[in-house]
């Protein structure tokens, strides 16, 4: 999944990711040997005491009482014989990579070496529950067992898909192997979800001969300018027949040419803001209280979902949205804009406006969308220095869609510089303001107030320069774009 | 050791039988009980054994210190089956039998002779199975088989002895 595409500039997998991935794959799983448990000593201990007391006190009932216990222990020990000296069970993972487009995959865990084992408990990934979402205990006996489960996530980037923690046990739990934690971990690059949005209604484009947008160049197109008298060489299909019916003279339609757009999505990674993560209060009582509350809520959610109520899902979605960072919103906005415009035939590219510079050259089609999503999934939550606009590598005529939290004055200057270079610029504000406000404490609120005022001044400056500013956090940026264009038209 | 971290590659098909929330074991949908149900069963068996022991020894009394300790051991057995508590519980059951109640080979002994190995086995299994794990029914089959093979002859011998 992390193979480098030939059309993608910049490192497909950064050094840090490579190192992390190598480390995850090369971590030697801690498979140990079989160890005796308390159950191994329990039966002979109790039996010895009971038989001793029974013989000493002349009480045969005590001896009879522990005879089945002792016989059961011996039977379990006899069943344990093939287990001793053999290797402990281990897991191998297979993942259906072809299904990662929807962030869902089937994970098959092959359990090897389960021949003389009584039972093996293995962790399985689940739907929105992470790599250790559930456990399943399977019987031994056969030399190999296969467990298949479905993994699904809303995360993006390098994600632990499966981590089959193991716990093997011999007959009656007399012997244990494990628990094996952090064994063969499967880490994969998960692409971010693409939220469906309408393409942004772009203002008239300066050039172009075909496409989905209105241009300012006269030519073959759909946008009517006026009528003129028919002249030799005009196409018959452009004759305006209603004008002919009124005036008994031939008129032809003059139209503006349709144009395609070349959109470059620029990402501002110089600042990353995320809602405050409330530290969990310490103490066992608080932990137990949280666990009980969570269990009750999970139970109520399950009951509601069985009734067909979508309230729990909506609540979880809202909680996820309120936890999103500016990087999450940037990735979501970029992939949504790219998908919408690639869907209508525009050429779309991607670049990071900060070091290290990454770029996907403009292209069309579904494969281009996958390239862009792949590059977006490789982004890291690190702060990078914003680079000068002259080094962004923008081609003339490209429409710049800048996804940025807009908390830095340098970004405002970069946007204005872009516009001064003749690019049409659209700013998608990716500050997770609702999440920041929701999770803010009293101390944060003062900072946020100052930040918001400064930001509004910058955004007003951009709007005053005729640059549409859309907020991804507020939702429906297509509608916002239409409103912004209407406002700009009125201002003229 | 590195060879243990096996990544066999990719699966290129989806199993249609696999739906949300289900797990397939060797191609079949996993059915069974949760790990905590085993602990509940262990607690129930331990409570039954404790009740029989107390009933067999009325002179000790339920509200005595010994009765209170036995109840604590029942709870501890279910809560921590991998610890030393189940052993202490079984020892307590054996010691309760020391209290003279007239008959040595009575009905209580018949019941306890079955319950003691059941408690031992359930404690061993419950300690080896995580609480939230889905336990396939087939997991319990060998243990149940061993229990039947061991307990049934002893129980039959006790019943025959009582009848004779």
């Amino acid at each position: 999944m992390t193979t480098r595409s030939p059309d993608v500039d910049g490192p497909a997998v950064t050094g840090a990711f490579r190192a992390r991935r190598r480390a995850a794959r090369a971590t030697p799983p801690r498979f140990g040997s079989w160890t005796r448990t308390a159950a191994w000593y329990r039966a002979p201990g109790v039996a010895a005491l009971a038989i001793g007391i029974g013989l000493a006190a002349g009480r045969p009932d005590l001896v009879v009482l522990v005879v089945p216990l002792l016989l059961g222990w011996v039977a379990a020990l006899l069943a344990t014989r093939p287990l001793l000296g053999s290797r402990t069970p281990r897991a191998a993972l297979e993942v259906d990579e072809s299904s990662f487009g929807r962030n869902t995959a089937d994970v098959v865990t092959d359990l090897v070496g389960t021949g003389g084992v009584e039972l093996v408990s293995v962790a399985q990934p689940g739907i929105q529950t992470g790599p250790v979402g559930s456990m399943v205990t399977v019987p031994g006996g056969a030399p190999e067992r296969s467990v298949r489960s479905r993994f699904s996530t809303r995360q993006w980037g390098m994600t632990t898909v499966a981590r089959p923690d193991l716990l093997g046990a011999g007959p009656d739990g007399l012997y244990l192997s494990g628990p094996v934690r952090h064994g063969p971990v499967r880490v994969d690059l998960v692409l971010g979800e693409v939220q469906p949005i309408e393409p942004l209604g772009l203002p008239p484009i300066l050039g172009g001969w075909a496409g989905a947008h209105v241009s300012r160049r006269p030519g073959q197109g759909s946008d009517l300018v006026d009528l003129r008298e028919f002249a030799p060489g005009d196409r018959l299909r452009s004759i305006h027949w209603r004008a002919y019916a009124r005036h008994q003279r031939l008129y032809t339609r003059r139209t503006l040419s349709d144009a395609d757009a070349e959109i470059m999505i620029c990402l501002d990674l110089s600042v990353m803001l995320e809602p405050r993560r409330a530290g969990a209060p310490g103490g066992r009582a608080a932990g137990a209280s949280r666990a009980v509350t969570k269990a009750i809520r999970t139970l109520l959610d399950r009951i509601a979902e069985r009734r067909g109520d979508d309230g729990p899902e909506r609540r979880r979605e809202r909680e996820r949205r309120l936890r999103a960072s500016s990087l999450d919103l940037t990735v979501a906005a970029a992939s949504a804009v790219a998908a919408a415009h690639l869907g209508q035939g525009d050429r779309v590219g991607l670049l990071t406006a900060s070091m290290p510079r990454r770029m996907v050259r403009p292209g069309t089609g579904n494969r281009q969308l996958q390239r862009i999503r792949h590059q977006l999934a490789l982004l890291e939550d690190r702060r990078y220095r914003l680079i000068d606009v002259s080094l962004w590598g923008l081609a003339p005529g490209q429409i710049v869609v800048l996804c940025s939290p807009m908390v830095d004055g340098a970004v405002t200057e970069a946007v204005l510089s872009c516009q001064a270079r003749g690019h049409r610029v659209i700013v998608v504000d990716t500050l997770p303001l609702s999440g920041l406000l929701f999770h803010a404490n009293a101390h944060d609120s003062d900072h946020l107030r100052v930040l918001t005022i400064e930001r509004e001044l910058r955004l007003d400056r951009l709007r005053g320069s005729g640059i549409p500013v859309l907020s991804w956090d507020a939702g429906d940026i297509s509608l916002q774009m239409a409103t912004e264009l209407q406002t700009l038209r009125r201002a003229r | 050791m590195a060879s243990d971290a096996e990544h066999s590659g990719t699966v290129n098909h989806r199993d249609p039988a696999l739906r949300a929330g289900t797990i397939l074991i060797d191609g079949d949908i996993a059915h069974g009980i949760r790990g905590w149900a085993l602990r509940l069963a262990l607690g129930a068996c331990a409570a039954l054994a404790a009740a029989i022991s107390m009933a067999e020894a009325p002179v000790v009394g339920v509200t005595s210190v010994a009765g209170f300790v036995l109840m604590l051991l029942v709870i501890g057995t279910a809560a921590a089956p991998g610890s030393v508590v189940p052993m202490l519980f079984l020892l307590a059951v054996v010691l309760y039998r020391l209290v003279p109640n007239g008959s040595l080979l009575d009905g209580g002994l018949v019941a306890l002779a079955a319950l003691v190995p059941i408690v031992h086995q359930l404690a061993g299994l419950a300690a080896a199975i995580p609480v939230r794990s889905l336990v396939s029914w087939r997991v319990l089959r060998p243990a149940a088989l061993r229990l039947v093979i061991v307990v049934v002859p002893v129980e039959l011998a006790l019943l025959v002895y009582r009848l004779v």
Side-chain angles (χ1 to χ4, degrees):
Chain A
M1 286 184 72
T2 54
T3 50
R4 184 175 168 176
S5 167
D7 292 337
V8 177
D9 285 350
V13 185
T14 62
F17 275 133
R18 276 204 207 99
R20 208 181 307 162
R21 195 166 180 184
R22 260 202 309 272
R25 289 197 161 175
T27 304
R30 292 193 285 272
F31 292 114
S33 55
W34 292 100
T35 52
R36 290 174 185 172
T37 63
W40 197 97
Y41 301 98
R42 183 165 56 230
V46 172
L49 191 83
I51 292 169
I53 295 174
L55 291 176
R59 295 287 299 270
D61 57 329
L62 292 186
V63 179
V64 172
L65 179 64
V66 293
V67 164
L69 179 68
L70 201 58
L71 288 176
W73 179 73
V74 171
L77 274 187
L78 289 174
T80 307
R81 279 169 59 194
L83 192 75
L84 301 174
S86 65
R87 286 189 77 184
T88 53
R90 56 203 179 279
L93 289 172
E94 297 177 44
V95 174
D96 178 8
E97 292 184 352
S98 62
S99 59
F100 259 122
R102 296 171 65 86
N103 296 3
T104 307
D106 284 6
V107 176
V108 178
T109 310
D110 288 324
L111 299 170
V112 191
T114 54
V117 184
E118 178 111 338
L119 57 100
V120 181
S121 299
V122 60
Q124 289 294 295
I127 306 289
Q128 311 291 343
T129 52
V132 191
S134 60
M135 298 281 294
V136 63
T137 304
V138 300
E144 197 169 310
R145 293 272 181 208
S146 161
V147 182
R148 180 185 278 262
S149 57
R150 187 156 289 171
F151 167 81
S152 163
T153 182
R154 291 281 178 94
Q155 292 180 348
W156 57 270
M158 297 302 283
T159 305
T160 303
V161 174
R163 201 189 76 190
D165 294 351
L166 270 184
L167 181 67
D172 290 356
L174 299 187
Y175 287 89
L176 273 185
S177 77
V180 178
R181 293 200 177 95
H182 309 292
V185 177
R186 178 76 183 217
V187 180
D188 273 297
L189 185 71
V190 177
L191 307 185
E193 269 187 312
V194 177
Q195 295 181 27
I197 61 165
E198 291 291 318
L200 303 177
L202 299 176
I205 292 165
L206 297 176
W209 297 107
H213 304 282
V214 177
S215 79
R216 289 181 181 168
R217 186 200 297 267
Q220 291 293 327
S222 55
D223 204 36
L224 181 69
V225 180
D226 59 6
L227 300 178
R228 65 168 172 78
E229 279 202 53
F230 182 81
D234 284 348
R235 301 178 74 177
L236 289 178
R237 65 189 299 182
S238 64
I239 292 173
H240 196 273
W241 293 108
R242 261 186 284 173
Y244 171 75
R246 265 200 302 274
H247 304 289
Q248 296 300 311
R249 298 182 66 163
L250 286 173
Y251 288 93
T252 53
R253 280 188 291 262
R254 279 207 321 153
T255 56
L256 293 176
S257 167
D258 290 339
D260 57 354
E262 188 165 301
I263 295 172
M264 184 57 84
I265 300 170
C266 303
L267 308 176
D268 168 24
L269 305 177
S270 60
V271 177
M272 211 276 281
L273 289 167
E274 61 182 336
R276 174 180 288 278
R277 290 180 185 176
R284 285 190 176 182
S289 164
R290 273 198 308 277
V292 169
T293 310
K294 188 181 172 188
I296 291 171
R297 202 168 77 167
T298 306
L299 185 68
L300 292 176
D301 284 357
R302 281 192 184 166
I303 292 168
E305 281 168 352
R306 280 189 185 173
R307 283 203 313 259
D309 185 5
D310 63 342
E313 181 55 34
R314 276 191 279 119
R315 179 175 51 77
R316 282 194 290 268
E317 182 61 39
R318 189 166 56 87
E319 286 173 357
R320 266 195 295 272
R321 212 177 58 241
L322 291 174
R323 279 198 306 269
S325 68
S326 63
L327 184 62
D328 292 329
L329 296 197
T330 298
V331 168
S335 54
V337 169
H341 282 274
L342 285 169
Q344 74 171 14
D346 293 332
R347 292 169 60 78
V348 181
L350 178 84
L351 66 84
T352 54
S354 50
M355 295 297 288
R357 186 168 160 271
R358 286 185 187 164
M359 186 177 189
V360 181
R361 295 185 205 286
T364 55
N366 195 38
R367 194 166 170 76
Q368 176 73 1
L369 178 60
Q370 295 307 316
R371 284 189 199 109
I372 290 173
R373 290 178 68 202
H374 187 269
Q375 280 298 307
L376 288 171
L378 288 171
L379 295 178
E380 292 178 82
D381 53 349
R382 293 183 186 172
R383 282 76 169 162
Y384 297 104
R385 184 173 57 82
L386 198 72
I387 55 179
D388 192 77
V389 176
S390 59
L391 302 175
W392 285 12
L394 296 172
Q398 279 181 342
I399 296 168
V400 174
V401 177
L402 180 76
C403 300
S404 164
M406 298 302 293
V407 292
D408 192 2
V411 185
T412 314
E413 297 304 324
V415 171
L416 292 171
S417 174
C418 259
Q419 194 190 33
R421 285 166 184 271
H423 295 285
R424 288 185 182 280
V425 186
I426 299 164
V427 174
V428 180
D429 175 14
T430 55
L431 184 78
L433 194 58
S434 52
L436 288 172
L437 289 172
F438 185 80
H439 292 286
N441 56 23
H443 184 64
D444 295 339
S445 297
D446 294 338
H447 283 285
L448 278 173
R449 203 168 294 132
V450 175
L451 178 80
T452 312
I453 292 167
E454 284 180 354
R455 248 171 51 87
E456 282 307 316
L457 289 174
R458 288 192 198 107
L459 299 184
D460 283 346
R461 191 177 160 206
L462 293 180
R463 287 193 185 103
S465 304
I467 297 170
V469 180
L470 321 171
S471 169
W472 183 260
D473 193 39
D476 201 352
I477 59 168
S478 304
L479 184 64
Q480 290 180 48
M481 182 71 187
T483 313
E484 289 268 347
L485 285 179
Q486 204 171 11
T487 310
L488 289 173
R489 240 177 265 134
R490 278 185 196 150
R492 281 194 207 112
Chain B
M1 291 293 277
S3 64
D4 287 325
E6 292 163 43
H7 299 275
S8 310
T10 63
V11 193
N12 290 319
H13 63 280
R14 285 187 156 212
D15 200 314
L18 189 62
R19 289 187 294 274
T22 59
I23 293 175
L24 301 184
I25 301 173
D26 293 337
D28 301 323
I29 294 177
H31 293 292
I33 55 169
R34 292 283 167 187
W36 52 260
L38 276 180
R39 298 198 179 209
L40 277 184
L42 171 62
C45 289
L48 188 60
I52 291 170
S53 297
M54 286 179 182
E56 294 282 304
V59 290
V60 178
V62 180
T63 55
S64 65
V65 174
F68 181 69
V69 169
L70 195 60
M71 293 315 296
L72 280 183
L73 288 174
V74 168
I75 296 167
T77 300
S83 67
V84 75
V85 179
M87 185 174 178
L88 294 177
F89 171 74
L90 293 179
L91 286 175
V93 170
V94 168
L95 292 176
Y96 251 84
R97 288 290 304 174
L98 275 176
V99 180
N101 62 343
S103 173
L104 292 182
L105 300 174
D106 55 357
L109 179 67
V110 174
L112 284 177
L115 283 172
V116 165
I118 288 175
V119 168
H120 165 69
Q121 266 197 340
L122 278 176
L125 291 174
I129 293 172
V131 174
R132 63 194 180 107
S133 183
L134 175 67
V135 186
S136 168
W137 288 115
R138 287 183 293 165
V139 167
L140 307 174
R141 198 181 295 162
L145 193 63
R146 275 194 303 275
L147 188 75
V148 168
I149 290 171
V150 165
V151 169
V152 168
V154 175
E155 293 288 320
L156 284 175
L158 279 174
L159 287 173
V160 169
Y161 181 81
R162 287 198 71 191
L163 289 174
V164 172

